[in-house]
Amino acid sequence: MNGKNIIILGIESSCDDTSASILINGEIKANIVAGQSVHKKFGGVVPELASRAHQQNIIPVVDAAIKEAGIDKKDINAIAFTRGPGLLGSLIVGTCFAKSFALALNIPLVEVNHMQGHILAHFIKNKENRYPNFPFICMTVSGGHTQLVVVKDYFDMEVIGETIDDAAGEAFDKAAKIMGIPYPGGPLIDKFSKTGDAKKFKFPISNLEGYNYSFSGLKTSILYFLQKEMAKNPLFIEENKVDICASYQSTIIKSLFKKLVKATRDLNIKQVAIAGGVSANSLLRSELNRIGIQENWNVFIPPFEFTTDNAGMIAIAGHYKYVKNEFVGQDVTPNARLKI
Ligand code: KG4
Ligand code: ZN
């Protein structure tokens, strides 16, 4: 099977999804993701429970990926794993598994920065054969991060702006929790918003200098707003759910684009991509297309399966490091605060 092929096993375990992927010459052959429902009743990820679930899931998930790809484990050329950023206990499980498996198979080990992985998902082979050209700007929006990144090359990236407090995904999830919507709230707020009136309620947009974001004020404003309204009418959330969701969602999306548009104009970069879990959001995707036409951008929107955490994005990052012979030794350790 192997010959001249480059076969990468990708492993992702930075938060609450255990994922393994097989990538052959940049093309996804398997991308298995095991979510963890154990966190639902807590309204957020419980780190200790996440690492325990990764321990249970990692072997079956890797096994399923190898079987689905129809390869033998001996065909794998290298193992790419998420070294950080993320929850330390979760990262330890993926890192230890990757190290042991690479040692057993006697193949090289490649470390991947999770945030670079989200961005490099745009280089996974696609039917249209359409990939961003360097330099491009990527707005990476996830549960843990909100970043504007100038991508000059596969591993030459500069963060020009980021959130100073909550991430965009957190802004979705925390508001959902206040409204009694289960975790993760982002996809449900997206769904409810579809039938809501986005102009019904007004929430504030932060106005920081430069390209940085802030979402904590928005979260506080929805909390106080709902407390006040619920005191007058205990059915307020129930009766206005879709309009609250639509108004709140549109505020987040507006603040995201305010800085993105500013950055692309200032730097005169017309290639624009989005990445990360929140890039699954339907309003974000449609606004990128709409504003993209106005601003004359060439836009790149990842397929749904590569927006939220997945090992396909780790495998593609691993592929580009593999061709550069960028390997790490058995002494590598995870880094919960790894920077781009
Ligand atoms: O990238 P990701 O899977 O994990 C991190 O690295 O954080 O992102 C997860 C985040 C969660 O906050 C989730 O609510 C959000 O992505 N998310 C969405 C949507 N799908 C996932 N937020 C808004 N709309 C969606 N459709
Ligand atoms: Zn992520």
Side-chain angles (χ1 to χ4, degrees):
M1 167 92 201
N2 205 323
K4 285 199 211 74
N5 290 322
I6 300 177
I7 305 186
I8 308 289
L9 165 65
I11 307 232
E12 155 63 30
S13 74
S14 65
C15 189
D16 60 340
D17 292 303
T18 320
S19 180
S21 173
I22 297 288
L23 186 87
I24 305 188
N25 303 327
E27 193 176 330
I28 294 286
K29 297 294 178 186
N31 187 32
I32 310 284
V33 183
Q36 303 180 354
S37 55
V38 64
H39 307 289
K40 274 215 161 68
K41 60 174 176 287
F42 300 100
V45 177
V46 184
E48 171 63 22
L49 297 179
S51 23
R52 288 188 210 184
H54 283 304
Q55 288 264 20
Q56 287 169 346
N57 293 343
I58 188 101
I59 290 177
V61 163
V62 171
D63 191 47
I66 291 173
K67 287 203 173 106
E68 190 174 303
I71 60 160
D72 189 276
K73 60 179 184 296
K74 293 195 190 71
D75 297 327
I76 299 168
N77 295 103
I79 300 179
F81 69 97
T82 304
R83 185 174 166 221
L87 301 170
L88 190 61
S90 293
L91 291 166
I92 286 174
V93 179
T95 306
C96 288
F97 179 85
K99 283 163 73 170
S100 329
F101 204 26
L103 192 65
L105 295 172
N106 194 23
I107 55 174
L109 194 58
V110 182
E111 61 150 304
V112 174
N113 178 307
H114 180 85
M115 301 313 292
Q116 289 192 337
H118 272 301
I119 295 171
L120 295 175
H122 284 283
F123 294 95
I124 292 171
K125 264 206 180 122
N126 56 55
K127 278 196 220 84
E128 301 79 30
N129 254 318
R130 192 173 167 269
Y131 311 96
N133 291 320
F134 302 116
F136 65 95
I137 291 191
C138 187
M139 181 164 73
T140 316
V141 272
S142 72
H145 295 84
T146 300
Q147 295 181 330
L148 283 182
V149 185
V150 177
V151 187
K152 299 168 197 167
D153 204 341
Y154 295 110
F155 300 103
D156 183 4
M157 303 185 184
E158 187 189 345
V159 179
I160 56 165
E162 59 192 326
T163 180
I164 58 161
D165 41 54
D166 292 347
E170 262 176 302
F172 274 103
D173 298 340
K174 287 182 177 171
K177 195 172 177 180
I178 297 169
M179 285 190 271
I181 296 170
Y183 178 85
L188 289 167
I189 291 190
D190 186 357
K191 187 174 143 204
F192 296 138
S193 298
K194 291 200 166 105
T195 51
D197 174 4
K199 295 206 167 69
K200 181 121 176 231
F201 304 109
K202 283 261 167 307
F203 297 107
I205 291 188
S206 80
N207 209 358
L208 293 180
E209 287 281 304
Y211 308 122
N212 282 345
Y213 292 102
S214 166
F215 290 104
S216 67
L218 177 62
K219 177 192 64 192
T220 312
S221 92
I222 193 170
L223 175 68
Y224 289 159
F225 168 72
L226 292 177
Q227 278 175 348
K228 199 178 88 205
E229 295 298 333
M230 290 293 276
K232 290 187 265 175
N233 169 16
L235 294 177
F236 182 80
I237 293 180
E238 209 179 303
E239 288 170 359
N240 295 280
K241 188 144 102 192
V242 293
D243 297 331
I244 302 168
C245 285
S247 305
Y248 185 77
Q249 169 176 281
S250 101
T251 311
I252 296 180
I253 304 302
K254 268 197 200 119
S255 36
L256 288 173
F257 277 103
K258 201 170 150 191
K259 300 293 178 173
L260 178 61
V261 168
K262 178 175 161 49
T264 57
R265 286 183 186 168
D266 290 353
L267 304 174
N268 195 24
I269 295 179
K270 300 280 182 197
Q271 304 256 328
V272 181
I274 52 172
V278 181
S279 68
N281 183 269
S282 53
L283 182 65
L284 179 62
R285 293 164 91 93
S286 62
E287 282 294 274
L288 184 66
N289 281 321
R290 188 186 66 81
I291 297 171
I293 291 169
Q294 270 176 15
E295 296 286 322
N296 205 12
W297 292 342
N298 206 353
V299 304
F300 296 87
I301 300 178
F304 280 110
E305 73 168 311
F306 304 124
T307 54
T308 46
D309 290 348
N310 68 90
M313 68 189 205
I314 303 305
I316 190 74
H319 173 96
Y320 286 106
K321 284 200 173 175
Y322 179 84
V323 295
K324 291 190 352 175
N325 282 321
E326 255 188 51
F327 305 131
V328 287
Q330 284 287 330
D331 56 344
V332 66
T333 50
N335 181 347
R337 300 195 173 274
L338 193 64
K339 296 262 183 279
I340 277 189

